Amino acid sequence: MKPKLIPMIAWLASVSCIHADILVQELFDGISSGNATIDGAGDTATSIGMTGVWATHGDPGIFTADNFNVDGFTLPGLPSNNGVNGGVWNNTASWASNIYATRPLAEPIDFATDREIFFSVRLNNAGDTAAGMGLATGGTPEDEFVGAGFSWNNARSIATGQNEAGNAAYISHGTLNNTVATVNGISDVIVDGVYGIRAFEPAGSVNGHGLLVGRITISSTGDDVIEIKRYAENATIDNDLGAVSWTVTSTVNSSMSASHLVLWVNGSGTGQLDAIRIGETWTDVTGVELAGPEQPALAGAGVSGVTATGAQASVNLFTSAADVTLYWDTVDQETGEWANSNVLGAREIGPVSGAITGLSPDTRYFYRFHAVNTAAEPVLEAWSEAGRSFATSPAGKAVTDLSAQAFSAFEVDLFWADDFETETGYIIQRAPAGTGEWATVGTAPADTWFYTDRHSGLTADTAYDYRVFATNEAGDSDPSNVASVTTEAGLPLETQLLIHFDGSLDGTEYTLGDGETDLTGTFKANGTPALDGGFAIINPGNEGGADGFDINPAFFGDLRTQNWVAEVVVTYQSTGTGTTPVVMDVQGDCNVRLRSLEDDNVLQLFYYNGSAALQQFTALPPAGVPVHLAFAWDAGSTTLTGYVNGVPFGSISNGPFATPAPAALSFGYFARTGFAGGGRGVDGVLDAVAFQTGTAPFDPESDFLILPELQSYATWIGGFPVGELTAFDDDADGDGLLNGIEAFLGTDPSVSNGGGLAQVSTDGTVTTFTHPMASPQLSDVTGSYEWSPDLVDWYAGDGVDGPGGGPTVSIPSVPPLAGTATVTATASEPLEKIFVRIRAARSGG
């Protein structure tokens, strides 16, 4: 038999000798001695088919000499110039869609004559960059062009305006004018220019290096067809043009005479572009010689159905029928001796598949198909892509030596042995001790042996079981041993700060008064507030920024892992215009604000969890009256709850808040660095401020520090936006509960509450019911119960009053538990029906 002929897949011969049909080439090698704008740059030693110099448009920040050279090893295609500085990179720091560069061609390319041309370009859209190249009739916005590139991560297509084309290869054509329009109700969609996306790969296909190869089939009488395909790093370029699977296609009917090469790069990432080629053939722009009719070709090798012991591999056979063998090993043997094989025999052109068997779990295997043509001599062969591998499932192996240690009431540290080879990460599961009710609470990256379970709903002094799995693309390992742990006991909330403004102020230095507390030793003023009779007068218009007070939260450590509550009694005069005055703020990411940007009449509870701004709203208490505002953080459930006059108005829970300003904890203004001014403070008076920390749950019935214990009805109703409906017998919210009843119940008189009493049980003699109840009660409001057998006649629930000679009912007053009173009414004899109501009275009026 004659020696086998092994065709070279990547042709590395000199471009000038072999590829005589290259029309345009720019490798940017040696184009400048250092980083500089491409504007004004001209020929290099590797330039072909261009004249004049480059001109930038919109921004000169397309820079040269970033040494984007891959030399044919990581990215396929023709090599660059062996390490000479080359390529262009994004120094624009802008998403402006009028940024591009053009250079004249030595000979125009006519789109009015039937022909076929190919192009290729190496791109890198890392970060948030768009980049590409094409052909244009000139360099002005009115000039026509066709081209292709890689998009930003938030790119929108011309067709829908949706953010559906991010991080993808795309085709663009039209004019160089960066026109924007409203598409399907979405404004500012780019509908023309080099960043206007006509057709595209699925979003998220590429965010990094790639070789973009394209074909333009020019028609003198009909549509011109533009097709592109992206090759990733270490991919093999097709050697059968008929088998190329173009990933994006678009059409344009153009008769232009393309006289300029155009390239573009913009965005905020460090995107790059290198090695532009336009030629007559596939080989001109890729360096790959096409296979002959008897030369087999293999491409698209992949695996599926991977288990701990086997997998199914597949590949596409092109050009010629062949005898196919599948090889695998734990080492990439390239075209050498492979340890294992599966002889698949003679196969026709098309999909070929075979089983890979006898594998070990948690092991990486390389594989490759080999084909030898079945036609007459000469004998020709081909290999599928090199470097293809997969990892078997870790099933059958288990994570070992898992241990758990309580770090706090809300944190548990886990440790295990990292005995796996192919894991992509670890899965952490938790269950209440002894229940077996497992839930995933976190993941850890590969090659780690430690995880801290925090911000996942842990509670103090509670027993938990943990287990850990290793995982990779093929599946999960067996579970680890179970490690049990009990979280630390919750620490009572400790008063860290309690200020009634009875001290003295010298500049920003505050001296504590009698009964005041500052365990941090950092309480100080900001701006120029003034003290007057136990009040702090603050005015955000003063020179130097908003007035207010703050402490340094570094004293507490990580506030995300502790329970805390911040309080203030404030009388504000106005809420500003176009601003959101901040009443209290913790580390720039948790605060209470006196309006939103959309609505002047709301009180806003806000926090930022690192990716999303989360908000709750309630009606804004009226200006000019004292109001107690508070918000409390529950670290175990990562929940923030807001309070108005001790009444909760909303909670937010979506992970721990972020801490971009760990030195800021403020009252009366926004102390986050860079945000203190601009009207972010309160215009008004502070009566008291407080801050507590601990790990025990916060109880709004007993744990507020500055909520007046004996608040009057007038003060209480003044803290709600009820307008002129402040009378005891008014029903400001129209829910059937008079203001006085709501004062006794502790419910919000400005928001419909839907009723007060709820029956629990009755047997005709003993009736149990519940209702909300304010704690503490207002100083001048009392409540009592009445009963009725028929909703007509009502009697006091004192065990004495009742119809003559008839039954009586005893309904005692009871203290509330967690804001709810559970009351038992006892009748002197069984009743067919019993109705109960609350009567509220106000002393002195």
Side-chain angles (χ1 to χ4, degrees), residues 74-311:
T74 56
L75 281 181
L78 294 166
S80 290
N81 202 26
N82 296 321
V84 176
N85 276 351
V88 297
W89 65 284
N90 175 35
N91 193 36
T92 66
S94 170
W95 289 278
S97 54
N98 62 340
I99 299 173
Y100 59 91
T102 55
R103 187 179 177 196
L105 302 179
E107 295 290 337
I109 296 176
D110 189 3
F111 275 65
T113 302
D114 292 337
R115 67 185 303 188
E116 190 175 69
I117 61 174
F118 295 84
F119 63 87
S120 69
V121 57
R122 290 185 176 116
L123 299 172
N124 178 12
N125 67 333
D128 193 7
T129 304
M133 57 79 63
L135 293 166
T137 58
T140 70
E142 293 74 24
D143 285 305
E144 192 176 350
F145 85 99
V146 296
F150 291 172
S151 68
W152 315 281
N153 66 3
N154 59 347
R156 301 178 182 274
S157 73
I158 291 174
T160 69
Q162 300 291 330
N163 183 3
E164 60 184 350
N167 284 346
Y170 73 93
I171 294 172
S172 185
H173 49 76
T175 69
L176 295 173
N177 186 16
N178 62 318
T179 305
V180 298
T182 297
V183 178
N184 294 329
I186 302 171
S187 61
D188 298 327
V189 178
I190 301 169
V191 295
D192 205 356
V194 296
Y195 301 99
I197 297 175
R198 304 280 178 178
F200 55 93
E201 286 183 317
S205 299
V206 57
N207 186 221
H209 297 84
L211 174 72
L212 191 61
V213 182
R215 178 173 66 182
I216 305 177
T217 304
I218 299 173
S219 171
S220 60
T221 57
D223 288 342
D224 309 311
V225 180
I226 308 140
E227 301 164 294
I228 61 173
K229 179 172 182 176
R230 174 181 56 83
Y231 290 94
E233 294 181 86
N234 299 308
T236 299
I237 299 176
D238 297 277
N239 68 344
D240 180 3
L241 189 55
V244 171
S245 176
W246 301 102
T247 53
V248 185
T249 302
S250 186
T251 60
V252 59
N253 195 330
S254 174
S255 299
M256 71 176 179
S257 177
S259 60
H260 284 67
L261 181 65
V262 58
L263 66 85
W264 58 90
V265 186
N266 80 348
S268 65
T270 55
Q272 300 164 309
L273 179 150
D274 187 32
I276 297 173
R277 292 182 176 88
I278 302 173
E280 297 279 3
T281 70
W282 178 263
T283 303
D284 293 333
V285 301
T286 66
V288 173
E289 298 291 340
L290 299 178
E294 295 180 355
Q295 168 67 59
L298 295 167
V303 294
S304 61
V306 180
T307 66
T309 58

Side-chain angles (χ1 to χ4, degrees), residues 699-760:
D699 182 0
E701 298 301 322
S702 59
D703 289 347
F704 284 120
L705 294 177
I706 57 178
L707 185 66
E709 292 187 5
L710 296 177
Q711 190 177 27
S712 69
Y713 172 82
T715 302
W716 176 83
I717 195 66
F720 296 97
V722 297
E724 296 181 355
L725 298 175
T726 61
F728 198 75
D729 293 331
D730 285 338
D731 182 5
D733 52 16
D735 61 358
L737 298 177
L738 302 182
N739 291 347
I741 298 294
E742 301 226 34
F744 173 74
L745 297 177
T747 52
D748 188 338
S750 65
V751 178
S752 178
N753 295 290
L757 302 180
Q759 179 176 298
V760 175

Side-chain angles (χ1 to χ4, degrees), residues 61-75:
I62 301 176
F63 268 36
T64 66
D66 192 46
N67 201 24
F68 178 33
N69 290 291
V70 290
D71 297 323
F73 294 115
T74 56
L75 281 181

Side-chain angles (χ1 to χ4, degrees), residues 338-407:
W338 291 76
N340 308 283
S341 64
N342 182 358
V343 178
L344 304 178
R347 297 300 178 96
E348 297 298 322
I349 294 173
V352 176
S353 65
I356 299 176
T357 58
L359 308 183
S360 299
D362 184 36
T363 304
R364 181 158 295 281
Y365 288 91
F366 294 85
Y367 67 99
R368 203 167 186 187
F369 287 88
H370 180 241
V372 179
N373 65 319
T374 57
E377 299 287 356
V379 175
L380 303 173
E381 67 174 353
W383 290 86
S384 63
E385 297 92 342
R388 295 294 171 92
S389 69
F390 64 92
T392 52
S393 165
K397 293 180 64 176
V399 175
T400 59
D401 299 330
L402 176 66
S403 62
Q405 179 178 345
F407 183 76

Side-chain angles (χ1 to χ4, degrees), residues 570-588:
V570 60
T571 303
Y572 56 88
Q573 305 304 324
S574 66
T575 61
T577 56
T579 64
T580 56
V582 173
V583 184
M584 295 177 287
D585 175 80
V586 175
Q587 298 187 323

Side-chain angles (χ1 to χ4, degrees), residues 653-714:
S653 181
N654 193 12
F657 60 92
T659 55
L665 197 162
S666 58
F667 301 89
Y669 81 111
F670 198 23
R672 179 177 171 181
T673 303
F675 290 82
R680 289 293 189 100
V682 175
D683 175 15
V685 175
L686 300 181
D687 186 11
V689 297
F691 192 77
Q692 302 173 73
T693 62
T695 55
F698 169 68
D699 182 0
E701 298 301 322
S702 59
D703 289 347
F704 284 120
L705 294 177
I706 57 178
L707 185 66
E709 292 187 5
L710 296 177
Q711 190 177 27
S712 69
Y713 172 82

